[in-house]
Amino acid sequence: MRSSHVLSGLGTLVLAAGAFCTQDPEPAAAEVSYVLTVPEVYIAGESFDVELSIQVAGAATQIPAWALSPAAFSVKGTALGSRKGKASLPLAAEQGITTSLNIGPALEAVKLTDESELVLNLNLGEGQEVRVPILRGAPEGLDFMTMPAEQLATYQVVLLTMHGPLRAEMWSDVAPNHVRNFLDLAYTGFYDDNQFHRVVPGFMIQGGSARPDRPAPRTLKNEFNAKRHTPGVLSMARMGVDTKDKNGVTIPAFDSATSEFFVMHAVYPSLDGKYTGFGKVLTGMPAVEAVVDSVKAGFNPRNPASHRPRTRQIIRRAIVVTAPEGNPENSDF
């Protein structure tokens, strides 16, 4: 039987079990099944981390060594590595093995210049293909701070978290200046090696804080709008009280957003109209769930110290990409 499961952020494909052996078959054939987990988007020229699990049932068997390398995959009829050699790996009945691979460099060599979709073939057992949208980074030399609002909508942001990519659309129609700010910070590397430093299950995950060596470049006036704070919405953090700038000028709390943002984990109507929502996660909500899970064991809603993950929840990089054609933007919540 075949079944496929598509998750937000990661796609898991359960492939058909079937007889598979590199030597003469035994009287009782081995049944080998494969589970492939891939990111839901491929950013051209970036890493592409896949996980392949192989499970044996029935009789013991052997799998070729190349089955645990990029050579197990092909694109456009071309294997992503060499399948030469007779080296094999013995697996006992009911034994399994899992390998993680970055096949990004091999994909780059295939030169998917014009394609909008990666068609990745797993050439094991009965074989199967996985289709993943290809995203491309925004060109160099863009100035998002002066870009017309209607043009901003043609870009999205991908946060490469330690749990997989999180891709978001931008709501430039309701919060153009917040979108400009977020795109600019992502584009200039401000969010690289940042982290989600505050995590509240059933509420949100917050990241994007400034650092001593890199202060936030600007303060934003609010753009409160009718978008609701529901799971996956990106919204800007702000001060809870009025503050003063370096010149002693008062900054109202509702106009104090800078670089910190949060991603909603649940519906929270009390934020509606009081914080500026400026985008929405399109793919990657399992990454949000994984960040939330990092604090659940010791979480106490009354103890702010427990809202800080014990292990850094890193945003490795933020990449501005060109939105795919036909992408639904400005979804109604």
Side-chain angles (χ1 to χ4, degrees), residues 260-313:
E260 290 194 28
F261 65 95
F262 54 94
V263 183
M264 297 304 300
H265 181 234
V267 177
Y268 229 83
S270 63
L271 301 185
D272 296 347
K274 298 178 182 178
Y275 288 79
T276 300
F278 64 92
K280 175 194 174 185
V281 172
L282 295 174
T283 59
M285 283 304 289
V288 175
E289 293 291 346
V291 174
V292 168
D293 287 343
S294 71
V295 304
K296 277 186 175 178
F299 180 75
N300 180 345
R302 298 182 179 180
N303 180 12
S306 72
H307 304 175
R308 183 173 294 275
R310 295 183 179 181
T311 58
R312 293 184 72 212
Q313 298 300 305

Side-chain angles (χ1 to χ4, degrees), residues 23 28 35 39-40 42 52 62 82 91 95 116 153 186 192 199 220 236 254 277 288 321 323-324 326 331:
Q23 299 178 341
V35 178
E40 201 172 1
Y42 167 52
L52 176 62
Q62 297 185 51
S82 174
L91 289 178
Q95 184 178 7
S116 60
D192 294 357
V199 179
L220 304 171
M236 287 302 286
F254 51 78
V288 175
V321 298
S331 304

